[in-house]
Amino acid sequence: MLLSLVVHTYSLRYWFPATIMLGTAPAYLLSWGAWRLLSTVLPAKLYHKLDDRLYNIYQSMVLFFFENYTGVEIIIYGDIPKNKENVVYLSNHQCTVDWIIADMLATRQSALGHVRYVLKDGLKWLPLYGWYFSQHGGIYVKRSAKFNERAMRKKLTSQTVCGAPMYLVIFPEGTRYNPELKNVIDSSQAFAAKEGLAVLKHTLTPRMKATHIAIESMQGHLDAVYDITVAYEGTLDASGQRRPAPSMPEFLCKECPRVHIHFSRVDIKEIPTESVFFRRWLHERFEIKDRLLTEFYESEVADKKHRFPGEGKVSPLSLSKTLPSVIVLGGLMLPLLMTENGRKLYVRTWVCGTLLGWLWVNVSP
């Protein structure tokens, strides 16, 4: 019985925030849908402006749970610019929490509403979220020969033309680095060796196409590239071997005490545009990441292990940035659940949102 209570209490640490985040989605979607209808006769720039505000509210609520609720310590190496910029955010990719890390940095720059993702194509099947991410400016891409370069360029160009602020998050590795998936790592390393590139140990070989198209398509709109390297503390086993990074449920269960984030800003003018030179540039950035992660995980000097070089500053997130969103979205959700008609509308919103997503997946070009 005691064991059952412990297990139940542990699961609640995840299910409580998950229920709130998923539960507020229909109320959020209804609010966004109302604005979308009203904005059909308004300039696209005005629609994007309020859409970014609405997105900021929802993602601030998400950050309440991933930062304030978990109590995770965020340690940042490097100085984040105080002013908002139009940027491409490049990071190593280890787990789904990496999406949240991008939000964590964006909110510290007051740019949370501007975050848009380049995601693998299969994620567009997520009920409600998959469809909405696309409406907010996200881009779904397929790998290799199925990659639709024309569609990506078209979407990015349409957003830059209307002046939409851009904080475009890309994970160039194309898939997550998982130390337990030896075949994926071996394949990535073999490809690098074949192409005459440095073999990487703690990241996968980056794919250049999506990143190159993004930077090339928005050349006159972008200010910089943010080169981000993330390490999750607590991912070494007793023998010193690297373990997989925490999943979202594990993170919400407070299994990660600290996240170390190395920040480097690269001015857009310093990045080569010709594909051959760009490929080399991108790989060199990942060589730097690999050296940082090697020192983080393998350094034999105690003071250098579990940290990046340079001064790391703890960066707490104020409740004033997140708690109001929890109150607002909770206030929208509760009336829906308190009446029978409200509950029916709530369920219909989930169903309609899922159907809209299905139609978008199967009908859109």
Side-chain angles (χ1 to χ4, degrees):
M1 183 176 177
L2 180 59
L3 179 60
S4 175
L5 180 62
V6 170
V7 171
H8 182 65
T9 302
Y10 179 83
S11 66
L12 280 177
R13 296 168 74 179
Y14 161 60
W15 284 111
F16 169 66
T19 299
I20 301 298
M21 287 186 282
L22 293 173
T24 54
Y28 174 81
L29 187 66
L30 286 170
S31 302
W32 173 82
W35 166 242
R36 191 70 184 101
L37 287 173
L38 288 171
S39 67
T40 52
V41 294
L42 298 174
K45 188 172 184 178
L46 184 58
Y47 160 71
H48 281 295
K49 190 170 184 178
L50 188 55
D51 176 53
D52 285 358
R53 290 295 301 164
L54 289 171
Y55 186 79
N56 179 77
I57 291 171
Y58 187 82
Q59 292 302 112
S60 293
M61 183 267 294
V62 171
L63 286 178
F64 169 81
F65 289 108
F66 277 90
E67 278 208 63
N68 303 120
Y69 170 79
T70 62
V72 65
E73 194 171 70
I74 305 299
I75 303 175
I76 299 176
Y77 303 77
D79 297 320
I80 301 174
K82 293 181 180 180
N83 298 325
K84 299 178 187 178
E85 297 185 289
N86 290 316
V87 302
V88 169
Y89 169 111
L90 300 181
S91 176
N92 58 315
H93 192 23
Q94 306 163 77
C95 59
T96 50
V97 181
D98 293 335
W99 299 0
I100 308 300
I101 301 301
D103 288 347
M104 290 177 179
L105 289 181
T107 199
R108 285 162 169 79
Q109 206 175 352
S110 299
L112 184 55
H114 306 162
V115 174
R116 313 174 207 285
Y117 298 98
V118 174
L119 300 165
K120 63 181 180 182
D121 191 66
L123 292 172
K124 65 187 179 184
W125 291 97
L126 286 171
L128 297 184
Y129 294 100
W131 175 65
Y132 175 70
F133 280 152
S134 176
Q135 302 306 305
H136 184 63
I139 300 167
Y140 293 100
V141 295
K142 295 181 179 180
R143 295 173 185 165
S144 305
K146 295 182 178 180
F147 186 95
N148 192 334
E149 179 178 333
R150 181 174 171 272
M152 184 175 182
R153 287 186 185 277
K154 182 180 178 181
K155 188 156 193 177
L156 290 171
T157 301
S158 68
Q159 292 185 78
T160 55
V161 166
C162 71
M166 187 60 63
Y167 196 103
L168 187 66
V169 178
I170 304 178
F171 302 109
E173 290 161 282
T175 192
R176 285 171 271 176
Y177 176 96
N178 184 336
E180 293 181 350
L181 298 180
K182 301 297 183 184
N183 59 325
V184 174
I185 296 172
D186 291 344
S187 176
S188 175
Q189 292 177 341
F191 175 79
K194 179 183 175 183
E195 296 296 314
L197 301 168
V199 174
L200 308 175
K201 183 177 181 181
H202 287 284
T203 72
L204 301 178
T205 303
R207 302 165 185 261
M208 66 161 261
K209 189 173 289 186
T211 309
H212 186 237
I213 289 171
I215 292 175
E216 190 177 57
S217 300
M218 300 188 293
Q219 186 75 26
H221 188 61
L222 296 173
D223 298 301
V225 164
Y226 289 172
D227 185 8
I228 309 298
T229 307
V230 179
Y232 298 92
E233 200 166 313
T235 51
L236 287 180
D237 62 23
S239 64
Q241 295 299 306
R242 189 175 170 187
R243 296 188 291 108
S247 63
M248 283 189 177
E250 290 169 339
F251 197 92
L252 288 170
C253 286
K254 309 181 182 183
E255 292 190 12
C256 179
R258 295 176 193 83
V259 179
H260 297 257
I261 305 171
H262 188 278
F263 178 93
S264 178
R265 183 188 184 278
V266 183
D267 192 280
I268 198 68
K269 296 175 183 177
E270 299 176 12
I271 301 172
T273 55
E274 204 281 322
S275 59
V276 173
F277 297 111
F278 180 83
R279 184 188 191 191
R280 175 62 63 181
W281 174 85
L282 182 61
H283 198 83
E284 286 173 353
R285 299 309 303 187
F286 269 76
E287 288 178 45
I288 295 171
K289 292 180 186 299
D290 198 55
R291 289 196 292 271
L292 289 169
L293 292 167
T294 298
E295 186 162 334
F296 184 92
Y297 289 113
E298 300 180 18
S299 178
E300 295 180 357
V301 180
D303 290 343
K304 292 184 178 181
K305 199 167 188 177
H306 296 159
R307 58 171 289 112
F308 289 132
E311 182 184 2
K313 298 177 182 177
V314 177
S315 178
L317 182 62
S318 171
L319 276 171
S320 64
K321 281 200 167 189
T322 58
L323 188 57
S325 295
V326 179
I327 295 170
V328 168
L329 290 170
L332 289 173
M333 179 181 71
L334 287 176
L336 287 176
L337 299 178
M338 290 177 69
T339 65
E340 184 176 351
N341 288 336
R343 288 191 290 272
K344 288 179 180 178
L345 178 61
Y346 185 88
V347 172
R348 286 169 185 164
T349 304
W350 262 106
V351 173
C352 290
T354 303
L355 288 174
L356 281 171
W358 183 87
L359 287 171
W360 173 72
V361 167
N362 289 279
V363 176
S364 63

